[in-house]
Amino acid sequence: MKALAARRHDRRAPAVLLLLALLLTGALYAVLAPTSADAAPAAPSADQVETGEKLFQANCATCHGPDATGTDAVPSLVGVGAAAVDFQVGTGRMPMQMNGPQAQAKPAQFDEEQIAALAAFVASLGPGPAVPSDEQVDPALGDPANGMALFRTNCAMCHNAVGAGGALSQGKFAPNLWETTPAHLYEAMATGPQNMPVFNDATLTPDEKRDIIAYLDLQGEDAPGGIGLGSLGPVSEGLWAWVVGMGLLIAAAVWIGARSS
Amino acid sequence: MSTTTSAPTGGQKAAAKTADYLDQRTGIGGAVKEFARKIFPDHWSFLLGEIALYSFVTLLISGVFLTMFFVPSMNEVHYDGPWPAMQGVEMSEAYASTLRLSFEVTGGLLMRQIHHWAALIFMAAIVTHMMRVFFTGAFRKPRELNWVVGFVLLILGLAAGFSGYSLPDDVLSGNGLRITDGVVRSIPILGSYLSYFIFGGEFPGHDIIPRLFTVHILLVPGLILALIGLHLFFVVLHKHTQYPGSGRTNANVVGYPLFPVYVAKAGGYFFIVFGVIALMGATMSINPVWNYGPYDPSPVSAGAQPDWYMLFLEGSLRLMPGQTEYVLFGPDGWTLSLNVLIPAVVVPGVLFTLLALYPFVESFATGDKREHHVLDRPRNRPFRTGFGVALLTAFFILVLAGSNDLIATHFHMSLNDITWAFRFLLFLGPWAAFVVTKRICLGLQRKDRELVLHGHETGQIVRFASGEYIEVHKPLDAHERWLRVQHDAIRPVEIEPAEDSRGVRRTGYRLDRMRQRLSQVFYEDRIEPVTPAELAASHSHGEHDALGSDQEKAPAQLLGEGAPTGGGRRLRSEDETDADGRNS
């Protein structure tokens, strides 16, 4: 003990202790901290709500107001539910980077715990759609064929036939859906962010939402026919026909037409 | 065909015997002899029409394959196949067989994609070839009729593309058919009857796919094939045009014989065209119908557009303000849908009529009845070049307007602003393009004049003993000069007065007056090519005394290299000229 006591005042001790403490906290956090997906079913703790409120006052209240009731230009957050917060903050759309036709997605500004806290706080203001469970958004459990039919009837007119995105009026747009996580897809349907209509459980049942997620899970740049050309339809095909096809053929014509010397 | 080498091998003997057998029974030897000696001029732009021909052959080959598996039927079936997003979905047999062709038939998807890329290339090649013919004036007498044949081929190409595009019975092509239905219905009085006639009842009905199939695989390709035959027959009959140059006249064709040079070049080019199309079909996805789903009249996807050659129609419809729909003669009267009729019938009607009739309008304005086999340089016909660029600009603006949603998303712009910008540009753009192109053409002609009169600038400044500075100009050689002085400057036609000497009004004066006005529009602004007298004068200015007066009357092309130039002073001796006639 004496030897240990003698070494206690090593000048490196505080740094080592701090490092150990950080590691321990990190490890505990990794074990105990809930992920955003399974955070939702668990009732948010009062602690979480309190943290969320602090985050809200510091980052969101400037526009949405200290009581989150919004203004004429900014929506009230009472009753939007945890799902709306998880989508808007989780995709980086909120806090909004700049005013414009619509909020743009960007790398998320908060970590999962903070987002969960914010969501808990906003959910505590009034009842609204909750963050879906992992099972609710698992593409493997959905029926892509039914999802295709539902997507074509409800989504494709803005998001393009396979979710490649499309234009709306006045600079607004429906984004590409290929990189969106299943949970965010579900939340978008449930809460109707930006210019999107709300597809509540009466319009699209949770199972149908999962079918749509299953359909979108099959889409992307990989096309059976080769390079997908953005899945944008005949305009990009026409552009490539001129650039690649006519470009190569005219180059070949110039080569053949050149007088041999 | 017949091989005449000194020591014929077995193979050559067999070939000779076969050729002889054929010749004795068909007299083909004469035709082969005639064709083998046929001369074609050498220029890459003369191969553009061949792209169209070869992509059409590619279309025929891949199309035959597709007909083996495609089922042109609108009967309802439920899909059962490897594509998970369609499992159990109700669809027409046409769509189901297209999916089978894509996912289950070996090589089916490759053939489908080759067929579709070939169709896009076919239309692109027709348009490019037509641009070459237009801008070089290859449509002038005696080739006006062949221009019309080519124009009809363009329209048939559109018809082939459109009918084929609609066959898979997917949502995207169904949207196209719905637009067609709307366009047909917008035709006053006849519209609804025509729509019922085309679709065999209310849209979409059960007849349209089988009908389009017949149109697509029999009627249109048959007509195209026949007209291609006529088109090529005219090329042989008229002989090929050639670009201007020394030694090339309206009475000769300078180039290489068909056999062996052009057989090799053109034959090889077929494989290049086929290869490029096959490469695109193998690596680039086109018309992925499984993305769009089976046709159902209710959904429309974002980014629903036709193939590029129909995109101008889509753009025209997108630009038209929607308010111009009127109900005439009371609430139960006639609906006049100007919002569809104008953009989808009148606008393409105007563009295509201008295109088809241009050779006749130009010949009326020019008053020229001579045959032309030497092409124009586009700069020497500023009105025509400007007009062609204006027409292309209008087409291009409509194509962009048809893609306005993609422009909006890709460049982060407002769809509404883009649409408004294009509404104005459709009227201002072609006009601006015409003015700018015409000025560029006139400027290039002035540059040609300058070159012919003074030669190339060399950047060498010489000071004379007297203290005078001049820049040395290198004279043009005879070939360079000929290219720049060979054309006629067409002047507006002059007409006889309205009344004769006794004051009697002349019949036909009004038509003549119209022709004169049109001719003034075409040819009022012009740059005259350098005349021999001008050339001689420019060479002698500053040294008038030294030059004999007889030289001023010598033709321009006879004044070869070594003629005094450069401020009238001869600064290079003739032995500085290279063997090829160019000054080094």
Side-chain angles (χ1 to χ4, degrees), chain B residues 73-151:
Chain B
S73 154
M74 292 172 91
N75 290 336
E76 296 289 313
V77 292
H78 288 269
Y79 181 73
D80 178 30
W83 192 247
M86 290 295 158
Q87 218 45 259
V89 173
E90 192 180 31
M91 56 183 63
S92 67
E93 273 189 284
Y95 187 72
S97 65
T98 310
L99 290 181
R100 193 168 83 85
L101 193 51
S102 304
F103 296 129
E104 291 166 75
V105 174
T106 308
L109 183 55
L110 177 66
M111 282 296 179
R112 261 198 66 220
Q113 298 202 142
I114 286 179
H115 195 70
H116 206 131
W117 282 120
L120 297 194
I121 299 282
F122 178 56
M123 292 309 299
I126 290 180
V127 170
T128 322
H129 172 60
M130 209 164 181
M131 274 154 62
R132 197 281 292 169
V133 169
F134 183 90
F135 287 117
T136 58
F139 53 74
R140 291 170 300 165
K141 188 181 173 186
R143 297 183 179 77
E144 304 100 318
L145 288 181
N146 215 14
W147 168 268
V148 174
V149 172
F151 172 80

Side-chain angles (χ1 to χ4, degrees), chain A residues 144-145 148 152 156-162 166-171 173 215 218-219 223-229 231-235 237-238 240-242 244-246 248-250 252-260, chain B residues 44 47 51 83-87 89 109 113 117 120-121 124-125 128 171-172 248 256 265 269 272-273 280 283-288 290-292 294 299-302 305-308 403 405-406 409-410 413-416:
Chain A
M148 185 278 297
R152 275 201 303 125
M157 58 286 293
C158 300
H159 284 285
N160 154 305
V162 288
L168 303 175
S169 60
Q170 307 287 5
F173 62 94
Y215 172 67
L218 297 174
Q219 311 308 325
I227 305 161
L229 310 179
S231 297
L232 294 172
V235 172
E237 291 161 6
W240 288 110
W242 275 96
V244 175
M246 288 306 283
L248 284 174
L249 291 176
I250 289 177
V254 172
W255 174 58
I256 288 177
R259 199 166 294 131
S260 52
Chain B
W44 67 267
L47 293 171
I51 304 179
W83 192 247
M86 290 295 158
Q87 218 45 259
V89 173
L109 183 55
Q113 298 202 142
W117 282 120
L120 297 194
I121 299 282
T128 322
V171 169
L172 191 62
R248 296 173 184 183
Y256 291 102
K265 284 195 176 194
Y269 197 47
I272 290 179
V273 172
M280 293 177 81
T283 56
M284 292 156 74
S285 183
I286 188 166
N287 197 22
W290 50 90
N291 278 355
Y292 306 127
V300 180
S301 304
Q305 275 124 342
D307 277 345
W308 77 263
S403 327
D405 54 331
L406 293 171
T409 49
H410 283 74
M413 294 199 282
S414 160
L415 188 66
N416 309 50

